[in-house]
Amino acid sequence: MQYKWWHDKIVYQIYPKSFMDSNGDGIGDLRGIIEKLDYLKELGIDIIWLSPVYQSPFVDQGYDISDYYRIAEEFGTMEEFDELLWEVKKRGMYLIMDLVVNHCSDQHEFFQRALEDPDGEYADYFYFVKGKDGGAPSNYRSYFGGSAWEKIPGSDKYYLHFFAKEQPDWNWENEKTRRYIYDMINWWLDKGVAGFRVDAIINIKKDTRFPSYEPDGADGLVHCTKMVESVDGVGAFLEEMKRETFARKDAFTVGEVFNMKEDELREFIGEDGHFSSMFDFCAEEFCTGEHGWYDAREITLPAWKQAVFRSQMETEGIGFKSNIIENHDEPRGFSRFLPKHLQNDNGAKALGTVNILLKGIPFIYQGQEIGMRNCPMESIEEYDDISTKDQYQVALDAGLTEEQALLVCREHSRDNARTPMQWSAQANAGFTTGTPWLKIHPDYIHINVEKQEKEDDSILHYYQKLIALRKHPAWKEIFVYGKTVPVYEESDCLFAYERVLGNESIQVVANFGICEAQIERKSEILLSNLSNVQQEEQSRGSSMALLPGQVLVWK
């Protein structure tokens, strides 16, 4: 495998609106990020992924972009962005942007021009399609619920939007559209960003016949991904985009890829793949049930680790996936993956260990490193997320009570990860001196960065040690390039594997059960959350007892 500069890097995702507010308006900003760069450097971060900071009406929290060349006023100015970029590079780190090119905002200049003349040049930058039988062109349901088609006022045409109606999809079949997008990407690369996280990218290929399918719900609609899964040819677009943009600068790119066909993994992340990496969404099967959040199945350790190991095995010899516990579109991993009896500091350390030491690119989401958890909203009105409000209604329509539907949102909402970062026990968690845009978790008094910086055995300090271990010159090659070999697979309480490279191996084992588990002793402990006394006691004999929440990394 040819060495790439990003192979051994650790990535940290910043959700700018909730990271750090420097001016007291209740919204995080670029200046706030600059203020916290030394914190990220000390944590051990190499690459910062910045969720969208472009100009936007914020219907979908910045994923509806009205101008790709401007910074949203809420976040600051382009001059402040340039300063951020310079400060990141000064610390030996890299900055990657969020690339949202399946759709834009309905406030984008091109879409406004298209609405003015639905038969004109700019209409072809989007999907403007005549209706059928007095209704929409086909029966697609958008990701956020309801028809994926919106009637154009004063016309017999509709426009396509896979997400909110305020997010029209770009027409990638139009060469002018693609050139506009490539020029924009190159503008940011020339500015000095190191790459992109590529949003919802497989959706860019459409079957322009827009056939209807058998409905999958009582609304007579079918999820828009049905068409995505049925059409071929997205690879041609992705290769052209790579050739015209990313390859020019050896950029690091990580794709948000769903609905990929079984035999396409090598095309996406192989040696000459479309992207450097793609997120490992193997746990997504636990997020949504047949009808929505409300009937999602419970996560069990055997099912979860089986999904992880299956993903690790299918990637071996092909490339690198990017491993996540949580991100801005997921609930907190602490609340999602840990059983109730392990929702504590030891559980958070065990969860971070088994994820970050897998093969692949580790991604850490803001607050994960201090064990932030799902926020208990008191009513649906406290949520901001458009998807949460849709799923709340889906649950009500399915017969759940308001209380039951709210509990579903507490477990699955994207806003769980979007509550402001908990920096201190001061008012508003030290995030802002104003009124925060979204509710702050009430546990910030006890769970915050300032407190954990002072505690030697905190989750934060453990993450620093965990990242340092992965980067240690003696073990880095194993953690970056070694195979993942499952061990103790038959155990219902142990999540364990070995990282193997040549004749060397390191074992990672964590007890997620409610009882102690016997494991075979290794010779040298590299990292654990055991006390010094426990480590000394466990260094004797041929086996040892691992208590619930305890983790060992040893060789």
Side-chain angles (χ1 to χ4, degrees), residues 1 6 260 262 264-266 268-271 275-282 307-323 358-361 480-484 499:
M1 177 178 292
W6 43 265
M260 182 184 66
E262 289 185 7
E264 290 183 332
L265 184 61
R266 189 176 297 276
F268 275 82
I269 61 168
E271 193 82 37
F275 304 115
S276 310
S277 181
M278 57 183 274
F279 288 112
D280 187 352
F281 288 125
C282 65
V308 171
F309 291 146
R310 182 171 60 246
S311 180
Q312 289 274 300
M313 297 305 106
E314 72 179 14
T315 312
E316 184 60 44
I318 293 179
F320 290 82
K321 287 186 180 177
S322 291
N323 303 318
L358 287 168
K359 186 170 186 177
I361 312 299
V480 173
Y481 297 109
K483 292 182 179 180
T484 301
R499 298 299 311 281

mmCIF file of all heavy atoms in Angstrom, residues 1 6 260 262 264-266 268-271 275-282 307-323 358-361 480-484 499:
data_model
loop_
_atom_site.group_PDB
_atom_site.id
_atom_site.type_symbol
_atom_site.label_atom_id
_atom_site.label_comp_id
_atom_site.label_asym_id
_atom_site.label_seq_id
_atom_site.Cartn_x
_atom_site.Cartn_y
_atom_site.Cartn_z
ATOM 1 N N MET A 1 0.840 -1.192 0.000
ATOM 2 C CA MET A 1 0.000 0.000 0.000
ATOM 3 C C MET A 1 0.883 1.253 0.000
ATOM 4 O O MET A 1 1.797 1.373 0.811
ATOM 5 C CB MET A 1 -0.931 -0.002 1.219
ATOM 6 C CG MET A 1 -1.799 1.244 1.331
ATOM 7 S SD MET A 1 -2.923 1.191 2.746
ATOM 8 C CE MET A 1 -4.038 -0.122 2.235
ATOM 9 N N TRP A 6 -2.138 11.164 5.268
ATOM 10 C CA TRP A 6 -3.240 11.142 6.230
ATOM 11 C C TRP A 6 -3.422 9.793 6.915
ATOM 12 O O TRP A 6 -4.284 9.656 7.796
ATOM 13 C CB TRP A 6 -4.541 11.535 5.519
ATOM 14 C CG TRP A 6 -4.709 10.893 4.168
ATOM 15 C CD1 TRP A 6 -4.382 11.430 2.961
ATOM 16 C CD2 TRP A 6 -5.227 9.587 3.894
ATOM 17 N NE1 TRP A 6 -4.657 10.543 1.944
ATOM 18 C CE2 TRP A 6 -5.187 9.414 2.493
ATOM 19 C CE3 TRP A 6 -5.725 8.567 4.681
ATOM 20 C CZ2 TRP A 6 -5.617 8.247 1.872
ATOM 21 C CZ3 TRP A 6 -6.163 7.396 4.079
ATOM 22 C CH2 TRP A 6 -6.096 7.250 2.686
ATOM 23 N N MET A 260 -24.293 2.257 -1.048
ATOM 24 C CA MET A 260 -23.289 1.792 -2.001
ATOM 25 C C MET A 260 -23.567 0.333 -2.338
ATOM 26 O O MET A 260 -23.965 -0.454 -1.481
ATOM 27 C CB MET A 260 -21.897 1.930 -1.378
ATOM 28 C CG MET A 260 -20.756 1.537 -2.281
ATOM 29 S SD MET A 260 -19.177 1.640 -1.398
ATOM 30 C CE MET A 260 -19.388 0.340 -0.176
ATOM 31 N N GLU A 262 -22.712 -3.582 -3.201
ATOM 32 C CA GLU A 262 -21.831 -4.482 -2.460
ATOM 33 C C GLU A 262 -20.427 -4.580 -3.046
ATOM 34 O O GLU A 262 -19.458 -4.735 -2.314
ATOM 35 C CB GLU A 262 -22.461 -5.878 -2.376
ATOM 36 C CG GLU A 262 -23.677 -5.948 -1.455
ATOM 37 C CD GLU A 262 -24.179 -7.364 -1.303
ATOM 38 O OE1 GLU A 262 -23.495 -8.292 -1.815
ATOM 39 O OE2 GLU A 262 -25.234 -7.565 -0.678
ATOM 40 N N GLU A 264 -18.683 -2.326 -4.710
ATOM 41 C CA GLU A 264 -18.097 -1.028 -5.076
ATOM 42 C C GLU A 264 -17.107 -0.483 -4.053
ATOM 43 O O GLU A 264 -16.556 0.604 -4.258
ATOM 44 C CB GLU A 264 -19.210 0.006 -5.279
ATOM 45 C CG GLU A 264 -20.055 -0.236 -6.514
ATOM 46 C CD GLU A 264 -21.110 0.846 -6.722
ATOM 47 O OE1 GLU A 264 -21.557 1.451 -5.718
ATOM 48 O OE2 GLU A 264 -21.483 1.080 -7.885
ATOM 49 N N LEU A 265 -16.827 -1.202 -2.969
ATOM 50 C CA LEU A 265 -15.972 -0.665 -1.917
ATOM 51 C C LEU A 265 -14.598 -0.271 -2.443
ATOM 52 O O LEU A 265 -14.091 0.815 -2.140
ATOM 53 C CB LEU A 265 -15.829 -1.679 -0.784
ATOM 54 C CG LEU A 265 -15.029 -1.200 0.431
ATOM 55 C CD1 LEU A 265 -15.698 0.004 1.077
ATOM 56 C CD2 LEU A 265 -14.874 -2.329 1.450
ATOM 57 N N ARG A 266 -13.985 -1.134 -3.258
ATOM 58 C CA ARG A 266 -12.661 -0.833 -3.788
ATOM 59 C C ARG A 266 -12.699 0.406 -4.678
ATOM 60 O O ARG A 266 -11.750 1.200 -4.695
ATOM 61 C CB ARG A 266 -12.108 -2.038 -4.562
ATOM 62 C CG ARG A 266 -10.646 -1.893 -4.959
ATOM 63 C CD ARG A 266 -10.130 -3.171 -5.627
ATOM 64 N NE ARG A 266 -10.160 -4.300 -4.714
ATOM 65 C CZ ARG A 266 -9.208 -4.591 -3.832
ATOM 66 N NH1 ARG A 266 -8.145 -3.815 -3.734
ATOM 67 N NH2 ARG A 266 -9.330 -5.652 -3.054
ATOM 68 N N PHE A 268 -14.515 2.952 -4.245
ATOM 69 C CA PHE A 268 -14.670 4.139 -3.417
ATOM 70 C C PHE A 268 -13.416 4.464 -2.617
ATOM 71 O O PHE A 268 -13.024 5.625 -2.517
ATOM 72 C CB PHE A 268 -15.878 3.988 -2.488
ATOM 73 C CG PHE A 268 -17.177 4.378 -3.125
ATOM 74 C CD1 PHE A 268 -17.869 3.493 -3.937
ATOM 75 C CD2 PHE A 268 -17.693 5.644 -2.931
ATOM 76 C CE1 PHE A 268 -19.058 3.858 -4.544
ATOM 77 C CE2 PHE A 268 -18.887 6.026 -3.535
ATOM 78 C CZ PHE A 268 -19.572 5.133 -4.346
ATOM 79 N N ILE A 269 -12.766 3.459 -2.011
ATOM 80 C CA ILE A 269 -11.639 3.745 -1.116
ATOM 81 C C ILE A 269 -10.424 2.865 -1.373
ATOM 82 O O ILE A 269 -9.547 2.747 -0.516
ATOM 83 C CB ILE A 269 -12.052 3.640 0.359
ATOM 84 C CG1 ILE A 269 -12.550 2.215 0.691
ATOM 85 C CG2 ILE A 269 -13.084 4.681 0.719
ATOM 86 C CD1 ILE A 269 -12.710 1.965 2.185
ATOM 87 N N GLY A 270 -10.350 2.238 -2.535
ATOM 88 C CA GLY A 270 -9.171 1.457 -2.876
ATOM 89 C C GLY A 270 -7.979 2.356 -3.155
ATOM 90 O O GLY A 270 -8.034 3.583 -2.984
ATOM 91 N N GLU A 271 -6.877 1.757 -3.587
ATOM 92 C CA GLU A 271 -5.633 2.499 -3.846
ATOM 93 C C GLU A 271 -5.870 3.719 -4.733
ATOM 94 O O GLU A 271 -5.304 4.783 -4.521
ATOM 95 C CB GLU A 271 -4.610 1.562 -4.495
ATOM 96 C CG GLU A 271 -3.207 2.125 -4.531
ATOM 97 C CD GLU A 271 -2.459 1.934 -3.215
ATOM 98 O OE1 GLU A 271 -2.644 0.875 -2.573
ATOM 99 O OE2 GLU A 271 -1.696 2.834 -2.837
ATOM 100 N N PHE A 275 -12.369 8.351 -3.084
ATOM 101 C CA PHE A 275 -12.064 9.115 -1.882
ATOM 102 C C PHE A 275 -10.897 8.487 -1.135
ATOM 103 O O PHE A 275 -10.580 7.316 -1.313
ATOM 104 C CB PHE A 275 -13.282 9.165 -0.956
ATOM 105 C CG PHE A 275 -14.518 9.720 -1.595
ATOM 106 C CD1 PHE A 275 -15.640 8.929 -1.790
ATOM 107 C CD2 PHE A 275 -14.565 11.038 -2.020
ATOM 108 C CE1 PHE A 275 -16.782 9.432 -2.388
ATOM 109 C CE2 PHE A 275 -15.691 11.562 -2.609
ATOM 110 C CZ PHE A 275 -16.810 10.757 -2.802
ATOM 111 N N SER A 276 -10.278 9.275 -0.266
ATOM 112 C CA SER A 276 -9.237 8.735 0.608
ATOM 113 C C SER A 276 -9.838 7.713 1.562
ATOM 114 O O SER A 276 -9.216 6.689 1.869
ATOM 115 C CB SER A 276 -8.599 9.866 1.427
ATOM 116 O OG SER A 276 -8.204 10.940 0.625
ATOM 117 N N SER A 277 -11.029 8.009 2.048
ATOM 118 C CA SER A 277 -11.676 7.177 3.054
ATOM 119 C C SER A 277 -13.182 7.401 2.978
ATOM 120 O O SER A 277 -13.656 8.286 2.248
ATOM 121 C CB SER A 277 -11.147 7.540 4.457
ATOM 122 O OG SER A 277 -11.733 6.745 5.465
ATOM 123 N N MET A 278 -13.932 6.611 3.698
ATOM 124 C CA MET A 278 -15.365 6.820 3.845
ATOM 125 C C MET A 278 -15.757 6.386 5.250
ATOM 126 O O MET A 278 -15.108 5.546 5.864
ATOM 127 C CB MET A 278 -16.161 6.033 2.805
ATOM 128 C CG MET A 278 -15.918 4.552 2.798
ATOM 129 S SD MET A 278 -16.823 3.668 1.504
ATOM 130 C CE MET A 278 -18.389 3.382 2.349
ATOM 131 N N PHE A 279 -16.791 6.999 5.789
ATOM 132 C CA PHE A 279 -17.189 6.691 7.154
ATOM 133 C C PHE A 279 -17.700 5.256 7.268
ATOM 134 O O PHE A 279 -18.385 4.748 6.375
ATOM 135 C CB PHE A 279 -18.275 7.653 7.623
ATOM 136 C CG PHE A 279 -17.772 9.039 7.875
ATOM 137 C CD1 PHE A 279 -18.151 10.088 7.062
ATOM 138 C CD2 PHE A 279 -16.903 9.296 8.915
ATOM 139 C CE1 PHE A 279 -17.684 11.373 7.276
ATOM 140 C CE2 PHE A 279 -16.422 10.578 9.148
ATOM 141 C CZ PHE A 279 -16.811 11.612 8.327
ATOM 142 N N ASP A 280 -17.348 4.631 8.387
ATOM 143 C CA ASP A 280 -17.865 3.309 8.688
ATOM 144 C C ASP A 280 -19.188 3.484 9.418
ATOM 145 O O ASP A 280 -19.226 3.813 10.606
ATOM 146 C CB ASP A 280 -16.883 2.528 9.557
ATOM 147 C CG ASP A 280 -17.316 1.084 9.753
ATOM 148 O OD1 ASP A 280 -18.449 0.741 9.346
ATOM 149 O OD2 ASP A 280 -16.534 0.297 10.313
ATOM 150 N N PHE A 281 -20.269 3.275 8.703
ATOM 151 C CA PHE A 281 -21.607 3.422 9.269
ATOM 152 C C PHE A 281 -22.227 2.063 9.600
ATOM 153 O O PHE A 281 -23.439 1.886 9.496
ATOM 154 C CB PHE A 281 -22.514 4.185 8.296
ATOM 155 C CG PHE A 281 -22.215 5.650 8.177
ATOM 156 C CD1 PHE A 281 -21.949 6.218 6.942
ATOM 157 C CD2 PHE A 281 -22.202 6.466 9.300
ATOM 158 C CE1 PHE A 281 -21.682 7.581 6.823
ATOM 159 C CE2 PHE A 281 -21.932 7.828 9.194
ATOM 160 C CZ PHE A 281 -21.675 8.383 7.950
ATOM 161 N N CYS A 282 -21.377 1.114 9.990
ATOM 162 C CA CYS A 282 -21.893 -0.233 10.235
ATOM 163 C C CYS A 282 -22.937 -0.257 11.347
ATOM 164 O O CYS A 282 -23.805 -1.140 11.364
ATOM 165 C CB CYS A 282 -20.755 -1.199 10.552
ATOM 166 S SG CYS A 282 -19.861 -0.845 12.081
ATOM 167 N N ALA A 307 -21.037 -6.436 13.784
ATOM 168 C CA ALA A 307 -21.112 -5.468 12.686
ATOM 169 C C ALA A 307 -19.755 -4.787 12.474
ATOM 170 O O ALA A 307 -19.316 -4.605 11.335
ATOM 171 C CB ALA A 307 -22.189 -4.428 12.989
ATOM 172 N N VAL A 308 -19.088 -4.420 13.572
ATOM 173 C CA VAL A 308 -17.785 -3.768 13.476
ATOM 174 C C VAL A 308 -16.759 -4.697 12.838
ATOM 175 O O VAL A 308 -16.029 -4.303 11.919
ATOM 176 C CB VAL A 308 -17.301 -3.310 14.866
ATOM 177 C CG1 VAL A 308 -15.847 -2.842 14.802
ATOM 178 C CG2 VAL A 308 -18.191 -2.196 15.407
ATOM 179 N N PHE A 309 -16.689 -5.937 13.316
ATOM 180 C CA PHE A 309 -15.695 -6.872 12.793
ATOM 181 C C PHE A 309 -15.978 -7.225 11.333
ATOM 182 O O PHE A 309 -15.054 -7.377 10.532
ATOM 183 C CB PHE A 309 -15.642 -8.132 13.651
ATOM 184 C CG PHE A 309 -15.074 -7.910 15.028
ATOM 185 C CD1 PHE A 309 -15.544 -8.621 16.123
ATOM 186 C CD2 PHE A 309 -14.071 -6.978 15.230
ATOM 187 C CE1 PHE A 309 -15.025 -8.411 17.392
ATOM 188 C CE2 PHE A 309 -13.542 -6.765 16.496
ATOM 189 C CZ PHE A 309 -14.017 -7.481 17.575
ATOM 190 N N ARG A 310 -17.243 -7.348 10.972
ATOM 191 C CA ARG A 310 -17.585 -7.614 9.576
ATOM 192 C C ARG A 310 -17.096 -6.480 8.685
ATOM 193 O O ARG A 310 -16.536 -6.708 7.605
ATOM 194 C CB ARG A 310 -19.097 -7.795 9.447
ATOM 195 C CG ARG A 310 -19.552 -8.138 8.033
ATOM 196 C CD ARG A 310 -21.026 -8.521 7.994
ATOM 197 N NE ARG A 310 -21.889 -7.454 8.461
ATOM 198 C CZ ARG A 310 -22.627 -7.505 9.564
ATOM 199 N NH1 ARG A 310 -22.595 -8.583 10.337
ATOM 200 N NH2 ARG A 310 -23.383 -6.485 9.909
ATOM 201 N N SER A 311 -17.257 -5.245 9.145
ATOM 202 C CA SER A 311 -16.800 -4.093 8.378
ATOM 203 C C SER A 311 -15.280 -4.058 8.282
ATOM 204 O O SER A 311 -14.718 -3.760 7.221
ATOM 205 C CB SER A 311 -17.306 -2.798 9.033
ATOM 206 O OG SER A 311 -16.885 -1.674 8.312
ATOM 207 N N GLN A 312 -14.598 -4.377 9.394
ATOM 208 C CA GLN A 312 -13.136 -4.402 9.379
ATOM 209 C C GLN A 312 -12.622 -5.466 8.401
ATOM 210 O O GLN A 312 -11.661 -5.234 7.664
ATOM 211 C CB GLN A 312 -12.611 -4.688 10.782
ATOM 212 C CG GLN A 312 -12.788 -3.541 11.761
ATOM 213 C CD GLN A 312 -11.661 -2.529 11.708
ATOM 214 O OE1 GLN A 312 -10.496 -2.846 11.935
ATOM 215 N NE2 GLN A 312 -12.010 -1.276 11.406
ATOM 216 N N MET A 313 -13.263 -6.617 8.383
ATOM 217 C CA MET A 313 -12.823 -7.713 7.505
ATOM 218 C C MET A 313 -13.017 -7.356 6.032
ATOM 219 O O MET A 313 -12.146 -7.614 5.203
ATOM 220 C CB MET A 313 -13.595 -9.000 7.821
ATOM 221 C CG MET A 313 -13.381 -9.573 9.216
ATOM 222 S SD MET A 313 -11.645 -9.883 9.628
ATOM 223 C CE MET A 313 -11.332 -8.518 10.767
ATOM 224 N N GLU A 314 -14.148 -6.739 5.698
ATOM 225 C CA GLU A 314 -14.411 -6.445 4.281
ATOM 226 C C GLU A 314 -13.509 -5.335 3.755
ATOM 227 O O GLU A 314 -13.293 -5.225 2.549
ATOM 228 C CB GLU A 314 -15.881 -6.072 4.085
ATOM 229 C CG GLU A 314 -16.282 -4.714 4.621
ATOM 230 C CD GLU A 314 -17.753 -4.388 4.372
ATOM 231 O OE1 GLU A 314 -18.509 -5.322 4.028
ATOM 232 O OE2 GLU A 314 -18.137 -3.217 4.530
ATOM 233 N N THR A 315 -12.963 -4.524 4.666
ATOM 234 C CA THR A 315 -12.091 -3.426 4.250
ATOM 235 C C THR A 315 -10.642 -3.862 4.131
ATOM 236 O O THR A 315 -9.847 -3.211 3.440
ATOM 237 C CB THR A 315 -12.199 -2.264 5.256
ATOM 238 O OG1 THR A 315 -13.577 -1.991 5.524
ATOM 239 C CG2 THR A 315 -11.557 -1.004 4.699
ATOM 240 N N GLU A 316 -10.262 -4.952 4.793
ATOM 241 C CA GLU A 316 -8.871 -5.406 4.813
ATOM 242 C C GLU A 316 -8.357 -5.642 3.392
ATOM 243 O O GLU A 316 -8.996 -6.288 2.573
ATOM 244 C CB GLU A 316 -8.754 -6.691 5.634
ATOM 245 C CG GLU A 316 -7.340 -7.196 5.800
ATOM 246 C CD GLU A 316 -6.447 -6.179 6.499
ATOM 247 O OE1 GLU A 316 -6.883 -5.571 7.494
ATOM 248 O OE2 GLU A 316 -5.303 -5.991 6.027
ATOM 249 N N GLY A 317 -7.191 -5.085 3.124
ATOM 250 C CA GLY A 317 -6.580 -5.249 1.809
ATOM 251 C C GLY A 317 -7.120 -4.308 0.757
ATOM 252 O O GLY A 317 -6.680 -4.350 -0.400
ATOM 253 N N ILE A 318 -8.072 -3.443 1.140
ATOM 254 C CA ILE A 318 -8.676 -2.512 0.182
ATOM 255 C C ILE A 318 -8.279 -1.076 0.480
ATOM 256 O O ILE A 318 -7.764 -0.359 -0.373
ATOM 257 C CB ILE A 318 -10.214 -2.660 0.178
ATOM 258 C CG1 ILE A 318 -10.604 -4.031 -0.390
ATOM 259 C CG2 ILE A 318 -10.855 -1.536 -0.636
ATOM 260 C CD1 ILE A 318 -12.088 -4.294 -0.415
ATOM 261 N N GLY A 319 -8.527 -0.635 1.718
ATOM 262 C CA GLY A 319 -8.241 0.755 2.052
ATOM 263 C C GLY A 319 -8.572 1.055 3.494
ATOM 264 O O GLY A 319 -8.569 0.164 4.342
ATOM 265 N N PHE A 320 -8.889 2.309 3.773
ATOM 266 C CA PHE A 320 -9.159 2.778 5.126
ATOM 267 C C PHE A 320 -10.570 3.336 5.225
ATOM 268 O O PHE A 320 -10.939 4.230 4.462
ATOM 269 C CB PHE A 320 -8.185 3.890 5.528
ATOM 270 C CG PHE A 320 -6.777 3.430 5.736
ATOM 271 C CD1 PHE A 320 -5.917 3.268 4.658
ATOM 272 C CD2 PHE A 320 -6.310 3.158 7.009
ATOM 273 C CE1 PHE A 320 -4.612 2.852 4.849
ATOM 274 C CE2 PHE A 320 -5.005 2.742 7.208
ATOM 275 C CZ PHE A 320 -4.150 2.584 6.128
ATOM 276 N N LYS A 321 -11.339 2.847 6.186
ATOM 277 C CA LYS A 321 -12.571 3.518 6.555
ATOM 278 C C LYS A 321 -12.267 4.505 7.675
ATOM 279 O O LYS A 321 -11.188 4.485 8.271
ATOM 280 C CB LYS A 321 -13.634 2.512 6.998
ATOM 281 C CG LYS A 321 -14.236 1.701 5.853
ATOM 282 C CD LYS A 321 -15.381 0.840 6.331
ATOM 283 C CE LYS A 321 -15.974 0.024 5.181
ATOM 284 N NZ LYS A 321 -17.058 -0.878 5.641
ATOM 285 N N SER A 322 -13.219 5.365 7.953
ATOM 286 C CA SER A 322 -13.085 6.328 9.042
ATOM 287 C C SER A 322 -14.038 5.919 10.158
ATOM 288 O O SER A 322 -15.242 5.784 9.931
ATOM 289 C CB SER A 322 -13.413 7.741 8.551
ATOM 290 O OG SER A 322 -12.418 8.200 7.663
ATOM 291 N N ASN A 323 -13.481 5.710 11.347
ATOM 292 C CA ASN A 323 -14.244 5.139 12.455
ATOM 293 C C ASN A 323 -14.820 6.225 13.349
ATOM 294 O O ASN A 323 -14.108 7.140 13.771
ATOM 295 C CB ASN A 323 -13.340 4.216 13.272
ATOM 296 C CG ASN A 323 -12.739 3.109 12.420
ATOM 297 O OD1 ASN A 323 -13.413 2.522 11.588
ATOM 298 N ND2 ASN A 323 -11.462 2.827 12.622
ATOM 299 N N LEU A 358 -9.089 0.593 16.409
ATOM 300 C CA LEU A 358 -9.402 -0.207 15.224
ATOM 301 C C LEU A 358 -8.564 0.269 14.041
ATOM 302 O O LEU A 358 -7.994 1.355 14.056
ATOM 303 C CB LEU A 358 -10.884 -0.059 14.866
ATOM 304 C CG LEU A 358 -11.905 -0.743 15.763
ATOM 305 C CD1 LEU A 358 -13.307 -0.236 15.428
ATOM 306 C CD2 LEU A 358 -11.847 -2.267 15.615
ATOM 307 N N LYS A 359 -8.521 -0.548 12.989
ATOM 308 C CA LYS A 359 -7.887 -0.088 11.766
ATOM 309 C C LYS A 359 -8.794 0.945 11.103
ATOM 310 O O LYS A 359 -10.011 0.773 11.019
ATOM 311 C CB LYS A 359 -7.626 -1.243 10.803
ATOM 312 C CG LYS A 359 -6.830 -0.802 9.565
ATOM 313 C CD LYS A 359 -6.373 -1.975 8.734
ATOM 314 C CE LYS A 359 -5.461 -1.493 7.607
ATOM 315 N NZ LYS A 359 -4.934 -2.611 6.804
ATOM 316 N N GLY A 360 -8.196 2.026 10.625
ATOM 317 C CA GLY A 360 -8.969 3.079 9.995
ATOM 318 C C GLY A 360 -8.563 4.434 10.538
ATOM 319 O O GLY A 360 -7.672 4.549 11.378
ATOM 320 N N ILE A 361 -9.227 5.471 10.064
ATOM 321 C CA ILE A 361 -8.933 6.834 10.490
ATOM 322 C C ILE A 361 -9.859 7.186 11.657
ATOM 323 O O ILE A 361 -11.083 7.227 11.484
ATOM 324 C CB ILE A 361 -9.148 7.848 9.351
ATOM 325 C CG1 ILE A 361 -8.462 7.367 8.061
ATOM 326 C CG2 ILE A 361 -8.656 9.220 9.758
ATOM 327 C CD1 ILE A 361 -6.976 7.200 8.178
ATOM 328 N N VAL A 480 -1.755 1.559 12.613
ATOM 329 C CA VAL A 480 -2.149 2.137 11.335
ATOM 330 C C VAL A 480 -2.355 1.060 10.276
ATOM 331 O O VAL A 480 -3.363 1.049 9.568
ATOM 332 C CB VAL A 480 -1.104 3.162 10.851
ATOM 333 C CG1 VAL A 480 -1.439 3.645 9.435
ATOM 334 C CG2 VAL A 480 -1.043 4.343 11.805
ATOM 335 N N TYR A 481 -1.415 0.098 10.182
ATOM 336 C CA TYR A 481 -1.444 -0.844 9.064
ATOM 337 C C TYR A 481 -1.764 -2.288 9.455
ATOM 338 O O TYR A 481 -1.993 -3.131 8.574
ATOM 339 C CB TYR A 481 -0.101 -0.806 8.327
ATOM 340 C CG TYR A 481 0.202 0.538 7.704
ATOM 341 C CD1 TYR A 481 1.201 1.363 8.221
ATOM 342 C CD2 TYR A 481 -0.523 0.993 6.602
ATOM 343 C CE1 TYR A 481 1.484 2.601 7.658
ATOM 344 C CE2 TYR A 481 -0.252 2.230 6.035
ATOM 345 C CZ TYR A 481 0.751 3.028 6.565
ATOM 346 O OH TYR A 481 1.008 4.254 6.008
ATOM 347 N N GLY A 482 -1.774 -2.593 10.735
ATOM 348 C CA GLY A 482 -2.014 -3.965 11.141
ATOM 349 C C GLY A 482 -3.440 -4.432 10.895
ATOM 350 O O GLY A 482 -4.383 -3.634 10.868
ATOM 351 N N LYS A 483 -3.602 -5.736 10.724
ATOM 352 C CA LYS A 483 -4.926 -6.323 10.574
ATOM 353 C C LYS A 483 -5.672 -6.296 11.909
ATOM 354 O O LYS A 483 -5.066 -6.288 12.978
ATOM 355 C CB LYS A 483 -4.827 -7.776 10.101
ATOM 356 C CG LYS A 483 -4.304 -7.966 8.699
ATOM 357 C CD LYS A 483 -4.306 -9.456 8.334
ATOM 358 C CE LYS A 483 -3.813 -9.675 6.912
ATOM 359 N NZ LYS A 483 -3.822 -11.117 6.550
ATOM 360 N N THR A 484 -6.993 -6.304 11.829
ATOM 361 C CA THR A 484 -7.830 -6.459 13.011
ATOM 362 C C THR A 484 -8.296 -7.913 13.072
ATOM 363 O O THR A 484 -8.958 -8.392 12.146
ATOM 364 C CB THR A 484 -9.052 -5.532 12.966
ATOM 365 O OG1 THR A 484 -8.611 -4.172 12.879
ATOM 366 C CG2 THR A 484 -9.918 -5.699 14.204
ATOM 367 N N ARG A 499 -4.511 -6.335 17.022
ATOM 368 C CA ARG A 499 -3.973 -5.661 15.841
ATOM 369 C C ARG A 499 -2.656 -6.353 15.526
ATOM 370 O O ARG A 499 -1.745 -6.395 16.361
ATOM 371 C CB ARG A 499 -3.755 -4.175 16.115
ATOM 372 C CG ARG A 499 -5.038 -3.399 16.447
ATOM 373 C CD ARG A 499 -6.073 -3.438 15.309
ATOM 374 N NE ARG A 499 -5.503 -3.110 14.031
ATOM 375 C CZ ARG A 499 -5.248 -1.858 13.629
ATOM 376 N NH1 ARG A 499 -5.532 -0.834 14.423
ATOM 377 N NH2 ARG A 499 -4.721 -1.628 12.431
#
